[in-house]
Amino acid sequence: MSSQIHGEKILILDFGSQYTQLIARRVRESHTYCEIHPYNMPVAEIEAFNPKGIVLSGGHQSVYDENSRVVAPLVFELGVPVLGICYGMHLLTRHFGGEVEASATREYGHAKIHKLAKASSLFDALLPDGSDGSVWMSHGDHVTTPPQGFSIVAESQNGIVAGLEDPGRGVYAVQFHPEVNHTQNGDAFIDTFINKVCGCHGLWTSSGFVEYEIAHAKEQVGDDRVLLGLSGGVDSSVVAALLHRAIGEQLTCVFVDNGLLRLNEGDEVMATFAEHMGVKVIRVDAQDMFLSRLAGVTDPEKKRKIIGHTFIEVFEAEAKKITGVKWLAQGTIYPDVIESAGAKSGMATNIKSHHNVGGLPEHMGLKLLEPLRELFKDEVRNVGLELGLPRRMVFRHPFPGPGLGVRILGEVKKEYADFLRRADAIYIDELYDSGHYEKTAQAFTVFLPVKSVGVMGDGRSYDYVVALRAVETKDYMTATAYPMPHELLSKIANRIINEVKGINRVTYDITSKPPGTIEWE
Ligand code: XMP
């Protein structure tokens, strides 16, 4: 199905850089659709993709390595602009007959560059007014002689060629990484490449996506019925809202209450989807089943497995009761697609260590419907807002599949889950009220099943401990503790101790990842 929003596409050929996903995100921020493909994408597929422009990513190799990665020469003959970043720069320099020098020392981190005296529509966006700029470098090799017809547009402090161009041929190259936040005006540079150099028109928008995906889902599904596991998280919520618009009554959602949800979560999901939007949602109360299977189990991995398997069992049993279902909808998003493609092609730089529990088995015999497969998380959120979902739902922090099961250390008991739910609700409310919620990537409370002594009024208390955690992170692979204001922490601790009987001590976790993880189990 062709559509206006996919009418202009940028192709990103991946040489294994850790930043390739960031290139794609920057292109999407410029409102143009793009896809990442391996550097050795077959020629016929490149032609069929019909890109408006091509970006060659960086990569950890040197162009002098044995079996170094190369692209099909066709890439330079399509008549569309090409931007080479880092390794991509070295590759195209050699392709056009220039020289690259291998260097034993790697230039890594911030570097200063300046423009040489020459107007350049692309580099003017990076270095306006001929000023110096700060960029992010990460490579050993560099260009020593540009190919004929190319001019050097920018240079680093140490005299390294930082930017090259041959506007006549439509080929541009940079030694640094414009896609990384540390590069000043890097976003403007990419935006200029996409919209001025490649001539794209900003066709990729949330409203366009919603319109397209509604028509697309209708066409895919026809009169069939579709099943969706609704968790209350952002991705499945957006899928529910989108499919409800597309196919209405043909969609049935199953929401499993495993006893490990946050305070009032089940009621809120039902209020938003069933009552407010009229989505068909079956709420399954499986709390006793989950909690009884978890009784006496303390090992974190065992707990995860029990929760995952029980979820599948409950979900499948519910699915069997609904007749005529042919499709299973899932909230798969573009980073998941890239990661599994990366794992297959051996460019495994970005493989995540966690996969959602709730990954349902193939033997259900249902066809997969994944309407968010093309979107990054921030795009999913924009689509959620476009569909009218509440902001609080759309900007909710990630919540792990095993829920409070991994936030109650050791054995899970209903009593502990109740303490934790109430303490966490106070913490999160205070973060919202003080404007800190959206500044943190993830914030939650952990229940510690140990008792400590305190004084309450005239008496002595001997009660449980909770730890508050809040982290800043972009990719959840590394994280730092959020510098929460002390007064706010004191206020939250007082409220928890006063309002949640059974808890008499609150601590704040200041561990980074690594060496810690974000969750405690
Ligand atoms: P860690 O604790 O490994 O967490 O630093 C990184 C991110 O993954 C989430 N997480 C999980 N998500 N199932 C999930 O769906 C899990 O078993 C799981 N464990 C951790 C965690 O909340 C954080 O966002």
Side-chain angles (χ1 to χ4, degrees):
M1 191 174 153
S2 65
S3 73
Q4 163 87 353
I5 50 164
H6 297 101
E8 295 174 340
K9 296 187 282 193
I10 297 294
L11 175 62
I12 299 164
L13 291 175
D14 179 24
F15 291 89
S17 163
Q18 58 177 322
Y19 302 129
T20 304
Q21 276 203 39
L22 285 181
I23 304 174
R25 289 190 42 190
R26 294 287 103 81
V27 174
R28 298 283 187 91
E29 281 165 17
S30 295
H31 298 294
T32 296
Y33 182 69
C34 63
E35 286 181 16
I36 299 173
H37 287 273
Y39 68 94
N40 54 0
M41 185 180 189
V43 164
E45 287 179 28
I46 297 179
E47 280 177 311
F49 188 85
N50 191 21
K52 285 279 281 179
I54 298 176
V55 181
L56 309 177
S57 85
H60 48 79
Q61 278 193 326
S62 158
V63 280
Y64 290 107
D65 285 354
E66 215 179 306
N67 301 324
S68 68
R69 295 166 172 167
V70 289
V71 275
L74 169 93
V75 161
F76 303 107
E77 290 154 20
L78 285 174
V80 299
V82 177
L83 170 65
I85 297 176
C86 198
Y87 181 85
M89 175 193 222
H90 310 144
L91 186 79
L92 70 81
T93 297
R94 293 192 73 206
H95 172 85
F96 286 108
E99 281 171 37
V100 174
E101 189 176 274
S103 140
T105 50
R106 204 177 166 85
E107 198 174 1
Y108 184 82
H110 287 284
K112 285 261 176 250
I113 64 164
H114 56 269
K115 204 162 58 166
L116 301 182
K118 183 179 175 303
S120 155
S121 53
L122 183 56
F123 285 85
D124 286 353
L126 183 83
L127 302 164
D129 314 322
S131 56
D132 282 2
S134 177
V135 298
W136 190 256
M137 296 278 194
S138 170
H139 213 275
D141 297 357
H142 59 267
V143 174
T144 46
T145 313
Q148 217 161 24
F150 280 74
S151 41
I152 302 175
V153 208
E155 222 175 51
S156 83
Q157 240 170 358
N158 312 329
I160 301 279
V161 177
L164 278 182
E165 67 175 22
D166 181 349
R169 254 189 292 219
V171 180
Y172 301 80
V174 284
Q175 171 75 15
F176 56 90
H177 289 274
E179 69 277 23
V180 172
N181 274 333
H182 301 301
T183 293
Q184 213 180 342
N185 302 326
D187 46 355
F189 180 83
I190 291 181
D191 192 75
T192 306
F193 178 71
I194 301 304
N195 291 312
K196 288 228 177 88
V197 178
C198 300
C200 295
H201 296 87
L203 304 180
W204 180 252
T205 59
S206 307
S207 57
F209 176 84
V210 168
E211 197 184 317
Y212 159 77
E213 198 49 54
I214 287 174
H216 185 222
K218 270 188 188 158
E219 188 183 289
Q220 262 187 302
V221 168
D223 296 328
D224 296 342
R225 296 185 73 179
V226 179
L227 184 68
L228 167 69
L230 185 59
S231 71
V234 181
D235 302 338
S236 68
S237 296
V238 173
V239 173
L242 190 60
L243 290 182
H244 179 65
R245 281 255 193 114
I247 57 167
E249 287 284 294
Q250 287 161 255
L251 171 72
T252 306
C253 300
V254 172
F255 174 78
V256 177
D257 186 342
N258 59 8
L260 304 166
L261 304 174
R262 288 162 286 191
L263 194 68
N264 303 328
E265 192 158 10
D267 293 344
E268 281 168 16
V269 166
M270 294 311 285
T272 308
F273 290 98
E275 289 151 40
H276 189 63
M277 294 170 62
V279 180
K280 212 188 292 171
V281 187
I282 300 173
R283 179 177 184 169
V284 189
D285 182 355
Q287 297 191 52
D288 291 344
M289 187 175 187
F290 279 87
L291 292 174
S292 63
R293 289 187 184 179
L294 286 167
V297 184
T298 53
D299 177 66
E301 286 311 309
K302 271 199 194 131
K303 283 161 58 177
R304 273 199 170 78
K305 283 210 174 80
I306 291 171
I307 298 167
H309 292 153
T310 308
F311 174 82
I312 289 170
E313 201 180 310
V314 172
F315 188 85
E316 278 193 288
E318 219 43 55
K320 278 202 190 113
K321 295 184 198 159
I322 310 165
T323 51
V325 173
K326 296 249 172 60
W327 296 85
L328 179 69
Q330 283 191 336
T332 314
I333 66 172
Y334 196 45
D336 305 330
V337 176
I338 302 169
E339 274 147 24
S340 58
K344 272 188 213 138
S345 68
M347 305 227 291
T349 38
N350 281 320
I351 296 182
K352 255 198 226 156
S353 52
H354 294 292
H355 291 277
N356 275 341
V357 282
L360 292 159
E362 284 173 7
H363 71 249
M364 285 184 82
L366 298 174
K367 290 182 272 185
L368 277 187
L369 188 64
E370 300 177 316
L372 309 181
R373 278 182 74 82
E374 291 180 342
L375 304 189
F376 284 105
K377 194 81 178 185
D378 46 340
E379 295 175 319
V380 172
R381 293 202 159 105
N382 288 335
V383 166
L385 293 177
E386 180 73 33
L387 289 163
L389 288 177
R391 190 176 168 89
R392 221 168 144 142
M393 178 169 268
V394 166
F395 284 90
R396 203 159 202 194
H397 292 162
F399 186 60
L404 302 187
V406 291
R407 294 179 180 172
I408 294 167
L409 304 191
E411 186 181 2
V412 176
K413 294 184 183 171
K414 180 162 187 326
E415 180 199 16
Y416 296 169
D418 287 335
F419 285 138
L420 179 53
R421 266 188 273 270
R422 291 173 56 211
D424 192 63
I426 293 171
Y427 180 33
I428 298 301
D429 272 348
E430 288 292 340
L431 292 188
Y432 271 114
D433 287 352
S434 57
H436 286 279
Y437 186 82
E438 286 186 21
K439 292 186 193 152
T440 61
Q442 201 170 5
F444 55 88
T445 314
V446 180
F447 180 82
L448 278 55
V450 287
K451 287 190 165 187
S452 77
V453 174
V455 274
M456 286 286 252
D458 298 331
R460 170 183 180 280
S461 66
Y462 186 54
D463 283 324
Y464 292 111
V465 184
V466 291
L468 308 178
R469 180 109 169 105
V471 294
E472 290 180 311
T473 174
K474 286 229 180 298
D475 56 11
Y476 297 86
M477 309 287 278
T478 60
T480 51
Y482 181 73
M484 195 73 74
H486 209 288
E487 307 83 77
L488 179 61
L489 285 172
S490 301
K491 182 175 177 205
I492 295 165
N494 277 334
R495 273 198 62 195
I496 291 177
I497 293 164
N498 285 324
E499 295 173 36
V500 187
K501 199 168 169 338
I503 294 176
N504 71 348
R505 194 173 293 270
V506 176
T507 66
Y508 189 61
D509 179 2
I510 53 166
T511 319
S512 297
K513 173 184 180 176
T517 47
I518 296 175
E519 303 288 348
W520 279 40
E521 277 196 346

